[in-house]
Amino acid sequence: MATAKRVPAGAAVLRGDITKAIRNAVMHELAEVGYGRLSIEAVARRAGVGKTAIYRRWSNKLEMVLEIVSGVAERSVPMPDTGSFATDLQLLLFVVSKALQHRIASQIVPDLMAEAARNPKIAETLQKALRTHQLAVAGKIVGQAVERGELPADTDPDLAVDLIVGPLYWRLAVARTPIGDDYLEQLAGAVIAALRGSSAR
């Protein structure tokens, strides 16, 4: 991910409150107008700062958006350890589904998915940020489940990510279909059954 930032001129210090205001402004602008129409000027106005404050932190719009969105995506998924794979999975599904249904995320995710199809840099960065974190989470809960004897020793974390996250992205970000607790319970049961049977190849 291209996250190299410009060094502030002289002894300038990047204030955390300004950075936070810019990050919030970027997320709200993305939700309202999409990546294509988002501008540095609009972000600066919403954040109540000058464009210079933005360019001290990021070199351009693409770098700014990718770093901020990737950071939010990485923080939004927990590393559960409840003592049971079933409850770890249910917690993970609940948190991811709530994140995808968030008012802002529900607008940003489909837009960036469309942009990724047109912009290889966006596609590469989102893939790296999202997949790396998803695999870390899946690897942790799958590893814990294997240690407890709840899943086969050769359970594939990569397959687990697809089974856990794939249906949620499809329902919420692509098909835009509402889901309820009953769906999450059914999905959790299906994922557990699939992973327990995945070693019988």
Side-chain angles (χ1 to χ4, degrees):
M1 178 169 54
T3 57
K5 302 179 185 66
R6 293 185 176 184
V7 177
V13 176
L14 300 181
R15 287 172 45 187
D17 58 331
I18 291 178
T19 301
K20 182 178 179 180
I22 295 171
R23 291 179 185 278
N24 289 337
V26 168
M27 296 299 286
H28 282 86
E29 283 291 317
L30 277 175
E32 289 187 12
V33 305
Y35 178 82
R37 294 174 57 197
L38 181 141
S39 69
I40 296 292
E41 291 78 7
V43 170
R45 281 196 303 271
R46 183 183 285 269
V49 301
K51 289 191 295 182
T52 303
I54 294 176
Y55 285 118
R56 282 177 181 155
R57 291 161 172 81
W58 301 279
S59 298
N60 52 58
K61 179 176 87 168
L62 177 61
E63 179 186 309
M64 175 182 70
V65 168
L66 289 180
E67 182 186 304
I68 291 173
V69 171
S70 296
V72 171
E74 290 173 2
R75 292 195 305 270
S76 64
V77 180
M79 290 280 198
D81 185 2
T82 65
S84 160
F85 179 63
T87 50
D88 283 349
L89 180 58
Q90 289 166 5
L91 175 59
L92 184 60
L93 289 171
F94 176 79
V95 172
V96 173
S97 67
K98 290 300 181 185
L100 289 173
Q101 293 176 84
H102 186 278
R103 178 179 58 84
I104 293 178
S106 66
Q107 298 301 317
I108 292 176
V109 172
D111 177 69
L112 286 182
M113 288 173 64
E115 288 293 336
R118 296 186 287 268
N119 188 320
K121 185 63 176 177
I122 292 178
E124 177 188 354
T125 302
L126 290 179
Q127 163 71 11
K128 184 181 297 183
L130 294 173
R131 196 67 178 180
T132 298
H133 190 62
Q134 289 167 355
L135 280 172
V137 174
K140 182 176 187 294
I141 67 171
V142 166
Q144 291 167 174
V146 169
E147 290 177 1
R148 291 190 294 257
E150 297 173 295
L151 290 177
D154 60 349
T155 301
D156 183 358
D158 194 56
L159 174 62
V161 169
D162 291 341
L163 291 173
I164 295 168
V165 181
L168 295 179
Y169 272 93
W170 171 256
R171 289 286 294 259
L172 297 173
V174 181
R176 314 283 282 186
T177 304
I179 63 174
D181 292 340
D182 55 341
Y183 174 79
L184 294 179
E185 291 176 8
Q186 293 171 2
L187 179 58
V191 170
I192 292 170
L195 291 178
R196 284 176 175 166
S198 64
S199 63
R201 295 186 288 270

mmCIF file with all atom_site columns, all heavy atoms in Angstrom, residues 24 42 44 54 63-65 104 107 117 124 143 149 167 170 192 199-200:
data_model
loop_
_atom_site.group_PDB
_atom_site.id
_atom_site.type_symbol
_atom_site.label_atom_id
_atom_site.label_alt_id
_atom_site.label_comp_id
_atom_site.label_asym_id
_atom_site.label_entity_id
_atom_site.label_seq_id
_atom_site.pdbx_PDB_ins_code
_atom_site.Cartn_x
_atom_site.Cartn_y
_atom_site.Cartn_z
_atom_site.occupancy
_atom_site.B_iso_or_equiv
_atom_site.pdbx_formal_charge
_atom_site.auth_seq_id
_atom_site.auth_comp_id
_atom_site.auth_asym_id
_atom_site.auth_atom_id
_atom_site.pdbx_PDB_model_num
ATOM 1   N N   . ASN A 1 24  ? -12.431 11.608  9.107   1.00 0.00 ? 24  ASN A N   1
ATOM 2   C CA  . ASN A 1 24  ? -13.890 11.585  9.182   1.00 0.00 ? 24  ASN A CA  1
ATOM 3   C C   . ASN A 1 24  ? -14.513 12.232  7.955   1.00 0.00 ? 24  ASN A C   1
ATOM 4   O O   . ASN A 1 24  ? -15.521 11.748  7.416   1.00 0.00 ? 24  ASN A O   1
ATOM 5   C CB  . ASN A 1 24  ? -14.362 12.307  10.447  1.00 0.00 ? 24  ASN A CB  1
ATOM 6   C CG  . ASN A 1 24  ? -14.064 11.535  11.716  1.00 0.00 ? 24  ASN A CG  1
ATOM 7   O OD1 . ASN A 1 24  ? -13.904 10.317  11.677  1.00 0.00 ? 24  ASN A OD1 1
ATOM 8   N ND2 . ASN A 1 24  ? -13.979 12.223  12.839  1.00 0.00 ? 24  ASN A ND2 1
ATOM 9   N N   . ALA A 1 42  ? -13.291 19.464  -1.314  1.00 0.00 ? 42  ALA A N   1
ATOM 10  C CA  . ALA A 1 42  ? -14.490 19.149  -0.547  1.00 0.00 ? 42  ALA A CA  1
ATOM 11  C C   . ALA A 1 42  ? -14.137 18.547  0.809   1.00 0.00 ? 42  ALA A C   1
ATOM 12  O O   . ALA A 1 42  ? -14.773 18.842  1.821   1.00 0.00 ? 42  ALA A O   1
ATOM 13  C CB  . ALA A 1 42  ? -15.382 18.193  -1.336  1.00 0.00 ? 42  ALA A CB  1
ATOM 14  N N   . ALA A 1 44  ? -11.393 19.127  2.488   1.00 0.00 ? 44  ALA A N   1
ATOM 15  C CA  . ALA A 1 44  ? -10.855 20.206  3.306   1.00 0.00 ? 44  ALA A CA  1
ATOM 16  C C   . ALA A 1 44  ? -11.973 21.059  3.893   1.00 0.00 ? 44  ALA A C   1
ATOM 17  O O   . ALA A 1 44  ? -11.946 21.418  5.074   1.00 0.00 ? 44  ALA A O   1
ATOM 18  C CB  . ALA A 1 44  ? -9.904  21.068  2.473   1.00 0.00 ? 44  ALA A CB  1
ATOM 19  N N   . ILE A 1 54  ? -4.044  18.683  4.262   1.00 0.00 ? 54  ILE A N   1
ATOM 20  C CA  . ILE A 1 54  ? -4.221  17.355  3.663   1.00 0.00 ? 54  ILE A CA  1
ATOM 21  C C   . ILE A 1 54  ? -2.949  16.920  2.939   1.00 0.00 ? 54  ILE A C   1
ATOM 22  O O   . ILE A 1 54  ? -2.473  15.789  3.098   1.00 0.00 ? 54  ILE A O   1
ATOM 23  C CB  . ILE A 1 54  ? -5.419  17.361  2.698   1.00 0.00 ? 54  ILE A CB  1
ATOM 24  C CG1 . ILE A 1 54  ? -6.709  17.598  3.494   1.00 0.00 ? 54  ILE A CG1 1
ATOM 25  C CG2 . ILE A 1 54  ? -5.491  16.045  1.913   1.00 0.00 ? 54  ILE A CG2 1
ATOM 26  C CD1 . ILE A 1 54  ? -7.947  17.726  2.640   1.00 0.00 ? 54  ILE A CD1 1
ATOM 27  N N   . GLU A 1 63  ? -3.961  8.086   -2.605  1.00 0.00 ? 63  GLU A N   1
ATOM 28  C CA  . GLU A 1 63  ? -3.198  7.673   -1.430  1.00 0.00 ? 63  GLU A CA  1
ATOM 29  C C   . GLU A 1 63  ? -3.995  7.919   -0.156  1.00 0.00 ? 63  GLU A C   1
ATOM 30  O O   . GLU A 1 63  ? -4.033  7.077   0.748   1.00 0.00 ? 63  GLU A O   1
ATOM 31  C CB  . GLU A 1 63  ? -1.878  8.449   -1.371  1.00 0.00 ? 63  GLU A CB  1
ATOM 32  C CG  . GLU A 1 63  ? -1.016  8.121   -0.165  1.00 0.00 ? 63  GLU A CG  1
ATOM 33  C CD  . GLU A 1 63  ? 0.207   9.011   -0.083  1.00 0.00 ? 63  GLU A CD  1
ATOM 34  O OE1 . GLU A 1 63  ? 0.927   9.122   -1.098  1.00 0.00 ? 63  GLU A OE1 1
ATOM 35  O OE2 . GLU A 1 63  ? 0.430   9.604   0.989   1.00 0.00 ? 63  GLU A OE2 1
ATOM 36  N N   . MET A 1 64  ? -4.635  9.079   -0.079  1.00 0.00 ? 64  MET A N   1
ATOM 37  C CA  . MET A 1 64  ? -5.427  9.442   1.098   1.00 0.00 ? 64  MET A CA  1
ATOM 38  C C   . MET A 1 64  ? -6.568  8.458   1.327   1.00 0.00 ? 64  MET A C   1
ATOM 39  O O   . MET A 1 64  ? -6.741  7.919   2.425   1.00 0.00 ? 64  MET A O   1
ATOM 40  C CB  . MET A 1 64  ? -5.992  10.855  0.913   1.00 0.00 ? 64  MET A CB  1
ATOM 41  C CG  . MET A 1 64  ? -6.932  11.313  2.008   1.00 0.00 ? 64  MET A CG  1
ATOM 42  S SD  . MET A 1 64  ? -7.594  12.976  1.676   1.00 0.00 ? 64  MET A SD  1
ATOM 43  C CE  . MET A 1 64  ? -8.693  12.622  0.270   1.00 0.00 ? 64  MET A CE  1
ATOM 44  N N   . VAL A 1 65  ? -7.334  8.196   0.300   1.00 0.00 ? 65  VAL A N   1
ATOM 45  C CA  . VAL A 1 65  ? -8.498  7.318   0.416   1.00 0.00 ? 65  VAL A CA  1
ATOM 46  C C   . VAL A 1 65  ? -8.072  5.890   0.760   1.00 0.00 ? 65  VAL A C   1
ATOM 47  O O   . VAL A 1 65  ? -8.655  5.252   1.648   1.00 0.00 ? 65  VAL A O   1
ATOM 48  C CB  . VAL A 1 65  ? -9.335  7.342   -0.873  1.00 0.00 ? 65  VAL A CB  1
ATOM 49  C CG1 . VAL A 1 65  ? -10.378 6.219   -0.860  1.00 0.00 ? 65  VAL A CG1 1
ATOM 50  C CG2 . VAL A 1 65  ? -10.013 8.688   -1.042  1.00 0.00 ? 65  VAL A CG2 1
ATOM 51  N N   . ILE A 1 104 ? -22.515 4.542   6.697   1.00 0.00 ? 104 ILE A N   1
ATOM 52  C CA  . ILE A 1 104 ? -21.441 5.024   5.827   1.00 0.00 ? 104 ILE A CA  1
ATOM 53  C C   . ILE A 1 104 ? -20.806 3.873   5.051   1.00 0.00 ? 104 ILE A C   1
ATOM 54  O O   . ILE A 1 104 ? -20.623 3.954   3.833   1.00 0.00 ? 104 ILE A O   1
ATOM 55  C CB  . ILE A 1 104 ? -20.377 5.768   6.661   1.00 0.00 ? 104 ILE A CB  1
ATOM 56  C CG1 . ILE A 1 104 ? -20.986 7.055   7.230   1.00 0.00 ? 104 ILE A CG1 1
ATOM 57  C CG2 . ILE A 1 104 ? -19.143 6.081   5.819   1.00 0.00 ? 104 ILE A CG2 1
ATOM 58  C CD1 . ILE A 1 104 ? -20.050 7.845   8.121   1.00 0.00 ? 104 ILE A CD1 1
ATOM 59  N N   . GLN A 1 107 ? -22.486 2.527   1.908   1.00 0.00 ? 107 GLN A N   1
ATOM 60  C CA  . GLN A 1 107 ? -22.345 3.327   0.699   1.00 0.00 ? 107 GLN A CA  1
ATOM 61  C C   . GLN A 1 107 ? -20.932 3.215   0.127   1.00 0.00 ? 107 GLN A C   1
ATOM 62  O O   . GLN A 1 107 ? -20.747 3.153   -1.096  1.00 0.00 ? 107 GLN A O   1
ATOM 63  C CB  . GLN A 1 107 ? -22.651 4.799   1.014   1.00 0.00 ? 107 GLN A CB  1
ATOM 64  C CG  . GLN A 1 107 ? -24.053 5.061   1.506   1.00 0.00 ? 107 GLN A CG  1
ATOM 65  C CD  . GLN A 1 107 ? -25.107 4.629   0.509   1.00 0.00 ? 107 GLN A CD  1
ATOM 66  O OE1 . GLN A 1 107 ? -24.983 4.859   -0.689  1.00 0.00 ? 107 GLN A OE1 1
ATOM 67  N NE2 . GLN A 1 107 ? -26.148 3.995   1.008   1.00 0.00 ? 107 GLN A NE2 1
ATOM 68  N N   . ALA A 1 117 ? -12.658 -2.315  -9.882  1.00 0.00 ? 117 ALA A N   1
ATOM 69  C CA  . ALA A 1 117 ? -12.743 -2.979  -11.185 1.00 0.00 ? 117 ALA A CA  1
ATOM 70  C C   . ALA A 1 117 ? -12.125 -2.124  -12.287 1.00 0.00 ? 117 ALA A C   1
ATOM 71  O O   . ALA A 1 117 ? -11.712 -2.643  -13.335 1.00 0.00 ? 117 ALA A O   1
ATOM 72  C CB  . ALA A 1 117 ? -14.204 -3.281  -11.524 1.00 0.00 ? 117 ALA A CB  1
ATOM 73  N N   . GLU A 1 124 ? -5.578  -3.598  -5.887  1.00 0.00 ? 124 GLU A N   1
ATOM 74  C CA  . GLU A 1 124 ? -4.423  -4.205  -5.222  1.00 0.00 ? 124 GLU A CA  1
ATOM 75  C C   . GLU A 1 124 ? -4.365  -3.836  -3.747  1.00 0.00 ? 124 GLU A C   1
ATOM 76  O O   . GLU A 1 124 ? -4.126  -4.691  -2.883  1.00 0.00 ? 124 GLU A O   1
ATOM 77  C CB  . GLU A 1 124 ? -3.141  -3.743  -5.920  1.00 0.00 ? 124 GLU A CB  1
ATOM 78  C CG  . GLU A 1 124 ? -1.862  -4.248  -5.261  1.00 0.00 ? 124 GLU A CG  1
ATOM 79  C CD  . GLU A 1 124 ? -0.623  -3.612  -5.866  1.00 0.00 ? 124 GLU A CD  1
ATOM 80  O OE1 . GLU A 1 124 ? -0.726  -2.874  -6.858  1.00 0.00 ? 124 GLU A OE1 1
ATOM 81  O OE2 . GLU A 1 124 ? 0.468   -3.857  -5.308  1.00 0.00 ? 124 GLU A OE2 1
ATOM 82  N N   . GLY A 1 143 ? -7.102  -21.567 14.176  1.00 0.00 ? 143 GLY A N   1
ATOM 83  C CA  . GLY A 1 143 ? -6.022  -22.172 14.959  1.00 0.00 ? 143 GLY A CA  1
ATOM 84  C C   . GLY A 1 143 ? -6.478  -22.544 16.356  1.00 0.00 ? 143 GLY A C   1
ATOM 85  O O   . GLY A 1 143 ? -6.152  -23.619 16.870  1.00 0.00 ? 143 GLY A O   1
ATOM 86  N N   . GLY A 1 149 ? -9.597  -29.084 19.279  1.00 0.00 ? 149 GLY A N   1
ATOM 87  C CA  . GLY A 1 149 ? -10.152 -30.292 18.680  1.00 0.00 ? 149 GLY A CA  1
ATOM 88  C C   . GLY A 1 149 ? -11.514 -30.086 18.044  1.00 0.00 ? 149 GLY A C   1
ATOM 89  O O   . GLY A 1 149 ? -12.224 -31.061 17.745  1.00 0.00 ? 149 GLY A O   1
ATOM 90  N N   . PRO A 1 167 ? -20.334 -14.833 1.981   1.00 0.00 ? 167 PRO A N   1
ATOM 91  C CA  . PRO A 1 167 ? -21.797 -14.664 1.967   1.00 0.00 ? 167 PRO A CA  1
ATOM 92  C C   . PRO A 1 167 ? -22.249 -13.297 2.480   1.00 0.00 ? 167 PRO A C   1
ATOM 93  O O   . PRO A 1 167 ? -23.231 -12.741 1.972   1.00 0.00 ? 167 PRO A O   1
ATOM 94  C CB  . PRO A 1 167 ? -22.285 -15.783 2.898   1.00 0.00 ? 167 PRO A CB  1
ATOM 95  C CG  . PRO A 1 167 ? -21.210 -16.816 2.842   1.00 0.00 ? 167 PRO A CG  1
ATOM 96  C CD  . PRO A 1 167 ? -19.937 -16.034 2.729   1.00 0.00 ? 167 PRO A CD  1
ATOM 97  N N   . TRP A 1 170 ? -21.607 -10.726 -0.214  1.00 0.00 ? 170 TRP A N   1
ATOM 98  C CA  . TRP A 1 170 ? -22.570 -10.921 -1.297  1.00 0.00 ? 170 TRP A CA  1
ATOM 99  C C   . TRP A 1 170 ? -23.938 -10.368 -0.924  1.00 0.00 ? 170 TRP A C   1
ATOM 100 O O   . TRP A 1 170 ? -24.541 -9.595  -1.670  1.00 0.00 ? 170 TRP A O   1
ATOM 101 C CB  . TRP A 1 170 ? -22.689 -12.403 -1.651  1.00 0.00 ? 170 TRP A CB  1
ATOM 102 C CG  . TRP A 1 170 ? -23.831 -12.651 -2.604  1.00 0.00 ? 170 TRP A CG  1
ATOM 103 C CD1 . TRP A 1 170 ? -25.048 -13.195 -2.310  1.00 0.00 ? 170 TRP A CD1 1
ATOM 104 C CD2 . TRP A 1 170 ? -23.872 -12.309 -3.984  1.00 0.00 ? 170 TRP A CD2 1
ATOM 105 N NE1 . TRP A 1 170 ? -25.841 -13.213 -3.418  1.00 0.00 ? 170 TRP A NE1 1
ATOM 106 C CE2 . TRP A 1 170 ? -25.156 -12.678 -4.471  1.00 0.00 ? 170 TRP A CE2 1
ATOM 107 C CE3 . TRP A 1 170 ? -22.964 -11.738 -4.864  1.00 0.00 ? 170 TRP A CE3 1
ATOM 108 C CZ2 . TRP A 1 170 ? -25.541 -12.497 -5.802  1.00 0.00 ? 170 TRP A CZ2 1
ATOM 109 C CZ3 . TRP A 1 170 ? -23.341 -11.547 -6.192  1.00 0.00 ? 170 TRP A CZ3 1
ATOM 110 C CH2 . TRP A 1 170 ? -24.620 -11.927 -6.641  1.00 0.00 ? 170 TRP A CH2 1
ATOM 111 N N   . ILE A 1 192 ? -19.460 -24.004 9.964   1.00 0.00 ? 192 ILE A N   1
ATOM 112 C CA  . ILE A 1 192 ? -18.886 -25.034 10.845  1.00 0.00 ? 192 ILE A CA  1
ATOM 113 C C   . ILE A 1 192 ? -18.951 -26.415 10.184  1.00 0.00 ? 192 ILE A C   1
ATOM 114 O O   . ILE A 1 192 ? -17.972 -27.167 10.163  1.00 0.00 ? 192 ILE A O   1
ATOM 115 C CB  . ILE A 1 192 ? -19.614 -25.063 12.194  1.00 0.00 ? 192 ILE A CB  1
ATOM 116 C CG1 . ILE A 1 192 ? -19.315 -23.772 12.973  1.00 0.00 ? 192 ILE A CG1 1
ATOM 117 C CG2 . ILE A 1 192 ? -19.179 -26.288 13.014  1.00 0.00 ? 192 ILE A CG2 1
ATOM 118 C CD1 . ILE A 1 192 ? -20.172 -23.595 14.210  1.00 0.00 ? 192 ILE A CD1 1
ATOM 119 N N   . SER A 1 199 ? -11.749 -31.626 5.418   1.00 0.00 ? 199 SER A N   1
ATOM 120 C CA  . SER A 1 199 ? -10.553 -32.482 5.347   1.00 0.00 ? 199 SER A CA  1
ATOM 121 C C   . SER A 1 199 ? -10.849 -33.819 4.688   1.00 0.00 ? 199 SER A C   1
ATOM 122 O O   . SER A 1 199 ? -9.946  -34.566 4.379   1.00 0.00 ? 199 SER A O   1
ATOM 123 C CB  . SER A 1 199 ? -10.001 -32.732 6.756   1.00 0.00 ? 199 SER A CB  1
ATOM 124 O OG  . SER A 1 199 ? -10.953 -33.452 7.541   1.00 0.00 ? 199 SER A OG  1
ATOM 125 N N   . ALA A 1 200 ? -12.126 -34.107 4.481   1.00 0.00 ? 200 ALA A N   1
ATOM 126 C CA  . ALA A 1 200 ? -12.495 -35.394 3.858   1.00 0.00 ? 200 ALA A CA  1
ATOM 127 C C   . ALA A 1 200 ? -12.440 -35.250 2.353   1.00 0.00 ? 200 ALA A C   1
ATOM 128 O O   . ALA A 1 200 ? -13.444 -35.243 1.660   1.00 0.00 ? 200 ALA A O   1
ATOM 129 C CB  . ALA A 1 200 ? -13.898 -35.790 4.305   1.00 0.00 ? 200 ALA A CB  1
#
